[in-house]
Amino acid sequence: MKRPPIIIVQLVHIQGPFKGEIQEFSEPGISIGRHLSCQLRFPADLTSISRKHAEIVREGNQFKLVDHSANGTFVNGKKIKEVYLKNGDVLAFSEGGPKVSFLTQVREGEEEAESPIPREELKAQLQAESPKIEPKFVPKVEPQRTSEEKPRTVQPAREEPGEVSVQNVKIPLIIQYGPTLRSFKELPVTIGRSPKCEFTLDHPQIFDQHAMIFFSQNQYWVKDLTGQRLVQINRQPIAFQTLLKPNDDLALSPKGPVFRFLGEGRLLEVTGPSTEESSEKKGEAYREIQKEKKPKGLKSVFKKLLDR
């Protein structure tokens, strides 16, 4: 008798106290709330979440989300009581509360879900398939420039290993950007504004073909396709291409967008002003303070002299 497939539920936290974390569950039921018995337990002081807020229940090869809360549960922005979930759905627990992306991964069975391969299988697959990898020809991308571009002082580039070739490899990549979650089964993946890119990003700082994520030597890499050292790792521009290490911050330009590499092919968007923007704001604030201080101080001195 054939055993039923083992389906792993992965919840990618994109907002809330566990932002950036990925939790995996294999239980037939996943309780969510503040109660100690919940599998996904939120902090006790997060009162917008009920003690037993919601539950994800497996029915065959499907998963149903059931709401038990006072403040509501939302799927892709719509309030629900019960709904069957699909890969990539965004779940919010209370309005404006914590958000997670829902993914499933089939460990055994004929069909395979669009989600990351588990760590054990990923290592075994890499060892078995790495000798069979065939190089893929990647055309050279000429640097692109925009008419509105301003001169920029380039910081010293991050120290990088020697250039490695780009290969066509069946390996997972997940990119979370805003409320959307994209899953890829094969690398390389090109990022840019052009519809020809595998991951299209409509952002004012992004070129038509901006960056590339690829896999080589059993590691993930990023390549700058702009020719202007716009891509940064941990606030340092890369000269051409470099390794992606767990918890690296990958900025596609000095003004964003910024992603955190969580390891195993997972990129999560992080928000917050860039270093360049913060410095400009601080400089403006300092100049305003100096403008206000100087006139008031001089006027006070002259007034005292005239009064004498």
Side-chain angles (χ1 to χ4, degrees):
M1 182 177 178
K2 187 178 179 180
R3 295 178 60 188
I6 299 173
I7 303 180
I8 305 298
V9 171
Q10 295 179 323
L11 299 180
V12 183
H13 290 263
I14 57 179
Q15 180 176 299
F18 306 127
K19 182 176 179 179
E21 295 185 19
I22 299 177
Q23 294 179 304
E24 296 186 347
F25 304 91
S26 57
E27 299 88 342
I30 305 166
S31 56
I32 302 161
R34 293 184 292 120
H35 195 270
L36 292 174
S37 63
C38 293
Q39 279 87 4
L40 172 50
R41 182 159 60 94
F42 287 102
D45 58 356
L46 192 59
T47 54
S48 62
I49 303 294
S50 299
R51 288 170 59 81
K52 293 191 176 180
H53 195 98
E55 187 178 14
I56 298 175
V57 183
R58 179 176 176 179
E59 294 185 357
N61 290 341
Q62 292 183 303
F63 289 87
K64 182 169 67 175
L65 176 65
V66 183
D67 174 60
H68 303 301
S69 70
N71 293 328
T73 302
F74 302 79
V75 175
N76 301 325
K78 184 178 179 181
K79 192 173 183 180
I80 60 95
K81 290 305 291 182
E82 290 187 4
V83 69
Y84 287 98
L85 297 172
K86 304 183 298 296
N87 273 345
D89 279 347
V90 175
L91 286 52
F93 306 111
S94 76
E95 189 170 3
K99 290 183 181 179
V100 300
S101 292
F102 173 84
L103 288 174
T104 59
Q105 178 265 320
V106 179
R107 185 160 291 178
E108 295 178 7
E110 297 179 356
E111 293 186 1
E112 189 173 327
E114 293 186 4
S115 60
I117 301 172
R119 296 172 187 172
E120 296 78 8
E121 289 190 16
L122 177 58
K123 291 178 182 177
Q125 178 179 327
L126 290 175
Q127 292 173 357
E129 295 185 1
S130 56
K132 302 176 184 178
I133 293 171
E134 296 181 359
K136 176 184 176 182
F137 174 74
V138 180
K140 183 179 179 182
V141 180
E142 294 297 329
Q144 304 176 40
R145 293 174 172 79
T146 59
S147 57
E148 300 178 357
E149 190 178 358
K150 297 178 180 179
R152 181 182 286 105
T153 302
V154 180
Q155 300 175 3
R158 170 180 175 170
E159 186 178 348
E160 302 167 11
E163 182 180 349
V164 297
S165 60
V166 177
Q167 301 171 330
N168 184 22
V169 185
K170 289 186 178 180
I171 207 77
L173 176 68
I174 294 178
I175 304 177
Q176 180 267 315
Y177 179 66
T180 63
L181 192 74
R182 288 289 308 278
S183 178
F184 303 91
K185 290 185 176 181
E186 186 174 341
L187 295 182
V189 167
T190 305
I191 302 171
R193 300 185 72 172
S194 171
K196 295 181 181 180
C197 294
E198 286 82 9
F199 185 67
T200 305
L201 201 55
D202 187 13
H203 190 281
Q205 302 297 323
I206 299 301
F207 289 178
D208 286 347
Q209 294 188 34
H210 195 95
M212 177 187 291
I213 307 296
F214 65 98
F215 192 85
S216 183
Q217 301 176 356
N218 290 348
Q219 298 181 87
Y220 287 85
W221 298 68
V222 61
K223 177 182 288 190
D224 187 342
L225 302 179
T226 68
Q228 299 184 29
R229 295 186 177 181
L230 296 182
V231 178
Q232 298 182 350
I233 295 290
N234 302 327
R235 300 182 181 177
Q236 291 187 351
I238 65 173
F240 181 54
Q241 63 187 25
T242 192
L243 286 169
L244 281 171
K245 301 177 183 178
N247 297 319
D248 272 351
D249 281 347
L250 167 62
L252 296 182
S253 80
K255 294 186 178 181
V258 182
F259 297 86
R260 182 157 298 150
F261 183 64
L262 304 178
E264 298 184 354
R266 298 168 184 183
L267 285 170
L268 176 74
E269 185 194 14
V270 293
T271 56
S274 67
T275 307
E276 184 176 313
E277 290 175 322
S278 300
S279 300
E280 289 177 0
K281 288 179 181 178
K282 287 178 182 178
E284 289 176 5
Y286 177 78
R287 286 191 291 272
E288 288 299 320
I289 291 170
Q290 293 301 104
K291 285 180 183 177
E292 291 179 5
K293 282 183 177 180
K294 200 168 184 179
K296 287 180 180 178
L298 289 173
K299 183 182 283 187
S300 176
V301 171
F302 287 137
K303 188 174 185 302
K304 287 180 181 179
L305 289 171
L306 291 172
D307 289 341
R308 290 177 185 178

